[in-house]
Amino acid sequence: MQQENQVNIADLRERFSHYLKKQRYRNTQERFLVLDSVVNIDKHFSADELYIYVRGFGAKISRATIYSTLDLLTKCNILVKHRFQGDSAHYELADKMPNHDHLICTECGRIIEFQAIEKLGEIQNEVCQSLGFKPLKHSFNIFAVCNDPGHCEYNRA
Amino acid sequence: MQQENQVNIADLRERFSHYLKKQRYRNTQERFLVLDSVVNIDKHFSADELYIYVRGFGAKISRATIYSTLDLLTKCNILVKHRFQGDSAHYELADKMPNHDHLICTECGRIIEFQAIEKLGEIQNEVCQSLGFKPLKHSFNIFAVCNDPGHCEYNRA
DNA sequence: GTTCTTGCAAACCCTTTGCACGTCT
DNA sequence: AGACGTGCAAAGGGTTTGCAAGAAC
């Protein structure tokens, strides 16, 4: 399922590089290290999870740089930033599955992706039209619990 | 529009009181002061906005109590807690408009309510069924900008 | 009278910022 | 060389917590 939209890392690097150039920001090692890690981590992550991940294979990078780079990657639409419940923001690659929303298990916090974009897009457009707004994007989150909580390996109890 | 579902404060007080009793929590003045304020404030609010509101008419109450009571009111389903974008959580009465979602203006932060529940409920149920989850609730947020930004009195520029 | 709740301030977590040093152009 | 980015630690905002004083039971 995740493979449907294989991420092209060379393409992402190019897009990032292009964005940086256009904004007169510099192409630093740290920024591309973050981009690579973001691709490798291959799931939703918080800034701190990414920090730990990057440190995990010995790379030296500060939280400040993590945050700043995540911000850049979000601004150039390589990442999408979410605020689910909980304290910290979560990020994911915008390209990986271009159109999906999230189901959050209220028992274990697991996040599952699904697609229902056409219908949601219709609703979004209807609502905006009737209220006099230009739609930009939406977020649709379903909160639910597993039918089989025993299967829920992530369970925090 | 807001009047459609007139909030019955006596009913809310009763529900809160019942909940507190059942949980062996105490019926304190502060808790009911918060409940009353939440009804009077009549829009989405953050914990701090509520704190300022309550202080505004001379009531003495601490932030700690505000937070703790908001938590209780959320647990007993009198309030709903949202995480829109931005730093702080926002709350609103669950009963006031039992079924609505939110359009957030990305220019000014204004929050507008709308109803599209039947369709969203269908989607929610379909998704949960196919993934093997029991649906609890959903949140659907549309991010958009006014067609007429000049009209946007809240604009933060 | 005992237990729970409050208020205050300090602690806490996530995130941003200031500054000196290092890196990119 | 000059300007920008980094790392560190400290500050910041929202929220939670520990503890003594006060209120509910």
Side-chain angles (χ1 to χ4, degrees):
Chain A
M1 225 195 201
Q2 302 264 16
Q3 276 71 0
E4 277 174 23
N5 279 281
Q6 192 63 24
V7 179
N8 183 339
I9 187 155
D11 177 47
L12 289 180
R13 285 174 148 265
E14 166 116 14
R15 278 170 53 196
F16 194 29
S17 175
H18 181 259
Y19 170 80
L20 294 173
K21 217 158 277 169
K22 209 176 72 184
Q23 305 292 322
R24 311 257 165 113
Y25 296 143
R26 290 178 179 174
N27 281 9
T28 68
Q29 295 177 202
E30 289 83 355
R31 284 172 178 165
F32 286 89
L33 171 62
V34 168
L35 176 56
D36 290 349
S37 305
V38 153
V39 173
N40 289 330
I41 208 169
D42 194 38
K43 54 166 189 161
H44 300 86
F45 59 89
S46 65
D48 212 58
E49 282 163 0
L50 180 61
Y51 175 74
I52 290 165
Y53 178 83
V54 169
R55 289 268 165 165
F57 55 84
K60 263 195 73 201
I61 197 160
S62 69
R63 272 182 238 271
T65 301
I66 295 274
Y67 277 104
S68 123
T69 307
L70 287 176
D71 214 38
L72 291 173
L73 288 168
T74 302
K75 285 212 180 79
C76 77
N77 297 311
I78 287 177
L79 288 181
V80 177
K81 182 177 185 175
H82 297 283
R83 300 285 323 224
F84 302 125
Q85 39 185 16
D87 295 321
S88 56
H90 281 70
Y91 300 81
E92 71 180 325
L93 281 171
D95 282 3
K96 197 157 67 180
M97 292 183 82
N99 291 316
H100 68 265
D101 290 274
H102 299 96
L103 182 151
I104 297 108
C105 179
T106 58
E107 289 298 315
C108 70
R110 197 161 29 134
I111 298 166
I112 295 173
E113 299 169 355
F114 63 86
Q115 299 198 28
I117 283 298
E118 300 113 59
K119 291 178 186 172
L120 292 171
E122 280 172 29
I123 296 173
Q124 170 179 309
N125 292 337
E126 283 168 22
V127 169
C128 282
Q129 189 158 24
S130 74
L131 293 173
F133 277 75
K134 293 191 197 64
L136 293 173
K137 61 173 182 174
H138 72 263
S139 77
F140 182 53
N141 298 315
I142 296 175
F143 298 91
V145 291
C146 329
N147 284 336
D148 173 17
H151 175 245
C152 194
E153 70 221 70
Y154 303 92
N155 211 322
R156 299 169 182 156
Chain B
M1 221 195 207
Q2 302 267 15
Q3 276 70 3
E4 275 173 27
N5 278 282
Q6 193 64 26
V7 180
N8 183 339
I9 187 155
D11 177 48
L12 289 179
R13 284 174 148 265
E14 165 117 16
R15 278 171 53 196
F16 193 29
S17 176
H18 181 259
Y19 171 79
L20 293 173
K21 217 156 279 169
K22 208 175 73 184
Q23 304 292 322
R24 311 259 163 111
Y25 296 143
R26 290 176 179 177
N27 280 10
T28 68
Q29 295 177 201
E30 289 83 355
R31 284 172 178 164
F32 285 90
L33 170 61
V34 168
L35 176 56
D36 290 349
S37 304
V38 153
V39 173
N40 288 331
I41 207 168
D42 194 37
K43 54 165 189 163
H44 299 85
F45 59 89
S46 64
D48 213 58
E49 282 162 0
L50 180 61
Y51 175 74
I52 291 165
Y53 179 84
V54 170
R55 288 268 164 166
F57 55 84
K60 264 196 73 201
I61 197 161
S62 70
R63 280 192 175 80
T65 301
I66 295 274
Y67 278 104
S68 121
T69 307
L70 287 176
D71 214 38
L72 291 173
L73 288 169
T74 302
K75 285 212 181 80
C76 77
N77 296 313
I78 288 176
L79 288 181
V80 176
K81 182 177 185 175
H82 296 284
R83 304 281 326 222
F84 301 126
Q85 38 185 18
D87 294 321
S88 57
H90 281 69
Y91 300 82
E92 70 179 326
L93 281 171
D95 281 3
K96 196 156 71 180
M97 291 183 82
N99 291 317
H100 69 266
D101 291 274
H102 299 95
L103 182 151
I104 298 109
C105 179
T106 58
E107 288 298 316
C108 71
R110 196 161 30 130
I111 298 167
I112 295 173
E113 300 169 355
F114 63 86
Q115 300 199 27
I117 283 299
E118 299 115 58
K119 289 179 188 173
L120 291 171
E122 279 172 30
I123 296 173
Q124 169 179 307
N125 292 336
E126 282 168 23
V127 169
C128 282
Q129 189 158 23
S130 73
L131 292 174
F133 277 76
K134 293 190 196 65
L136 294 173
K137 61 174 182 172
H138 72 264
S139 78
F140 182 55
N141 299 315
I142 297 175
F143 298 92
V145 292
C146 328
N147 285 335
D148 172 18
H151 174 246
C152 193
E153 70 220 70
Y154 302 91
N155 212 321
R156 301 167 180 159

